[in-house]
Amino acid sequence: MKKMRTILSLTLTMIMLFTLLTACGQENKTPDTPANEPAGSVAPDADSGAVEGTVTFCLESAKKTAFEPFIEAFEKEYPGINVEVLWDKDDNTLIAANQAPDLIKSGDIHVSSSRDLLLDLTPYMEQDAQEVNADDFFPATLESLKVDGKLLAMPTSFNVGLLYYNKTLFDEAGVTYPTDDWSQEDFIKAGQALTKQEDGKYSQWGCTTVLGWWGEWLVHVRQAGGDWMVDNLCALDTPEAVKGLQFFFDKTTKGTYKFAPSSTDDALGGFAGGLSAMEYGGHTGMWVAYNAVEGLDWDIAALPSGSAQKAGSEFAVEGYAISKDTKNPEAAWTFLKYFTGKEGAKLMNELGYPCCRQSVVDEKLAVPKEERGCPQNLEALYAAMDDAMTLPRDPEFNNCTQTVVQPVIDLMLEGELSPEEAAKEATAQANDYLESNR
């Protein structure tokens, strides 16, 4: 994911917005707003009447069928607001062209780096506290979207690391399904029992290897007692972090346990391919894709304990923010409230994403497990939040990890570097990058 960069300097933004306020008669300010306060930076006057305006945001056309009725229902309730979906457009491209949509897709690792682009939603939340009902959100989902005490986005869904497993492959091998109290040894034993070879080639993997991002290897690092960042510096070269990388390496064919593919092996379609019994960490955003695979019978469990602790799975939040450049902040906030309210949370559940509102979750958990679709063990999803860890809030984390650290991890999986060598190299390069870009 590319991070958003500030399009205008703060000085130019203030000049532009001051000019806009002067031309518009400062109609968006409350009586207490200072004369030089940017439009939309405070909550709208509750006595100003019906809200009107156009709200734009980007969305994938694959979600068109689900979102069009949702938007129609919103526009029926708020006839003065027109919602214009920019189908298959990219937020970052539009921002770079000074054409930012009113709502911007964001998340916990983005709000820090894009803070200068986003409207502070705190006053809006305070004004509409009863309607929004912040207590209905899982607390961590809101806290993850705050920077310096300012709420910069509203949560729509979240990811937490889990153990995914293929029930059919477990049944065929006579292996007991994972439980929430599995140890690392249980995981290794099951992985090896579920790995198959035919004519010298792997025909079934005990577990996938999550490639191309931190979704698995960082979990192992943290469960071994290490972390990516300590005291604002990359710390992947600590003994604990190296131990986690060693386990990530050892479960592959290049290492000791050999029940998962290295980057040079045929992954057999990954977990969605139906020939991998487990996936470690994974992403809830893949649920829709997994459920689209005919015959894939799968479920989830809490991650096994690591070598040092159970805690360490990734906790990440996705949501939407309001652009500081919006011409219709009240309309944008009205739609964002609806989108992240109970109706929006129900929509996210229908689309197959974990929603962030406890009331909607309670309704879903009230359905007996045997009557649920995949995954059935939703209790594990919400319990896993207790052992999850947020990602570093450093604005450079995303880019540094993907462009600097990940290529070194890839070399490790190819067998070009040992885990210890990779850890030292990744740490040195990452800290050089951080020093140069801060």
Side-chain angles (χ1 to χ4, degrees):
M1 295 179 285
K2 299 178 180 178
K3 72 173 186 176
M4 297 178 289
R5 297 186 179 276
T6 305
I7 305 305
L8 299 174
S9 69
L10 181 58
T11 302
L12 290 177
T13 301
M14 293 296 291
I15 293 172
M16 179 187 70
L17 292 177
F18 179 77
T19 303
L20 177 62
L21 279 174
T22 303
C24 297
Q26 302 180 355
E27 61 184 331
N28 285 328
K29 296 187 297 175
T30 64
D32 296 330
T33 306
N36 63 347
E37 187 73 30
S41 64
V42 296
D45 188 349
D47 297 327
S48 61
V51 179
E52 296 182 349
T54 297
V55 178
T56 59
F57 74 110
C58 300
L59 201 64
E60 312 90 66
S61 57
K63 298 177 180 177
K64 196 171 187 178
T65 302
F67 265 88
E68 284 186 334
F70 178 78
I71 292 170
E72 288 175 7
F74 169 80
E75 291 178 334
K76 184 177 181 179
E77 186 170 343
Y78 299 92
I81 301 177
N82 173 54
V83 179
E84 181 182 342
V85 182
L86 308 176
W87 298 107
D88 295 323
K89 297 291 185 179
D90 178 67
D91 283 329
N92 294 330
T93 302
L94 294 175
I95 291 169
N98 294 328
Q99 299 173 356
D102 297 296
L103 297 186
I104 299 173
K105 190 171 184 180
S106 189
D108 59 310
I109 66 170
H110 297 297
V111 287
S112 293
S113 57
S114 61
R115 58 191 299 176
D116 293 335
L117 297 173
L118 309 178
L119 199 65
D120 179 15
L121 303 179
T122 309
Y124 291 86
M125 286 285 284
E126 292 172 351
Q127 172 193 279
D128 296 335
Q130 185 172 357
E131 180 184 356
V132 174
N133 189 11
D135 291 339
D136 191 38
F137 286 100
F138 291 103
T141 62
L142 282 175
E143 288 300 317
S144 294
L145 299 176
K146 292 181 180 179
V147 177
D148 296 333
K150 296 180 179 180
L151 181 66
L152 298 182
M154 293 288 284
T156 53
S157 63
F158 69 92
N159 175 55
V160 64
L162 297 160
L163 184 65
Y164 293 71
Y165 64 97
N166 184 315
K167 297 169 76 173
T168 302
L169 300 185
F170 270 75
D171 291 340
E172 290 176 352
V175 177
T176 304
Y177 294 158
T179 63
D180 291 343
D181 59 356
W182 257 21
S183 65
Q184 192 172 82
E185 290 71 25
D186 294 323
F187 172 60
I188 295 170
K189 183 178 179 180
Q192 291 177 327
L194 288 156
T195 301
K196 294 182 180 180
Q197 293 189 59
E198 294 179 7
D199 299 325
K201 295 183 178 181
Y202 286 95
S203 58
Q204 179 175 302
W205 296 110
C207 188
T208 64
T209 302
V210 177
L211 302 173
W213 69 299
W214 59 78
E216 182 182 356
W217 62 259
L218 182 55
V219 178
H220 291 310
V221 164
R222 286 174 156 180
Q223 288 191 323
D227 209 338
W228 191 97
M229 180 172 282
V230 176
D231 296 331
N232 295 319
L233 292 173
C234 181
L236 289 174
D237 59 349
T238 66
E240 295 82 4
V242 172
K243 188 173 184 179
L245 290 175
Q246 183 72 53
F247 181 74
F248 179 61
F249 176 81
D250 276 344
K251 77 180 183 69
T252 73
T253 56
K254 293 284 196 301
T256 302
Y257 304 121
K258 304 184 186 302
F259 61 87
S262 70
S263 57
T264 56
D265 293 313
D266 183 352
L268 304 177
F271 190 75
L275 293 174
S276 295
M278 292 179 286
E279 183 163 76
Y280 203 100
H283 201 291
T284 56
M286 291 300 297
W287 289 12
V288 175
Y290 294 161
N291 282 328
V293 178
E294 186 177 354
L296 184 62
D297 187 12
W298 62 282
D299 210 342
I300 56 176
L303 287 176
S305 297
S307 59
Q309 60 184 14
K310 190 174 184 66
S313 71
E314 173 190 328
F315 178 72
V317 180
E318 291 188 351
Y320 277 83
I322 299 178
S323 169
K324 269 191 175 180
D325 294 333
T326 181
K327 295 179 180 179
N328 299 299
E330 297 179 33
W333 169 245
T334 301
F335 180 67
L336 186 57
K337 280 191 299 183
Y338 190 84
F339 189 10
T340 58
K342 193 165 183 179
E343 293 305 313
K346 288 180 178 179
L347 173 65
M348 297 309 292
N349 258 334
E350 291 170 6
L351 288 171
Y353 301 99
C355 77
C356 301
R357 283 194 174 269
Q358 182 70 61
S359 59
V360 177
V361 170
D362 289 343
E363 292 175 7
K364 193 155 189 176
L365 294 181
V367 177
K369 280 188 178 183
E370 60 272 15
E371 297 179 16
R372 302 173 190 169
C374 298
Q376 292 183 328
N377 188 17
L378 293 173
E379 288 79 1
L381 167 70
Y382 294 100
M385 295 172 73
D386 293 337
D387 291 315
M389 299 172 67
T390 57
L391 296 168
R393 299 302 299 272
D394 191 290
E396 297 298 332
F397 165 76
N398 184 40
N399 198 49
C400 181
T401 305
Q402 290 302 93
T403 63
V404 178
V405 175
Q406 190 60 51
V408 179
I409 301 295
D410 293 340
L411 289 175
M412 179 188 78
L413 290 180
E414 292 168 11
E416 297 297 320
L417 296 173
S418 70
E420 186 173 6
E421 291 170 337
K424 290 180 179 179
E425 183 66 24
T427 301
Q429 290 191 28
N431 285 328
D432 285 344
Y433 174 92
L434 292 173
E435 182 179 357
S436 300
N437 287 275
R438 283 176 172 160

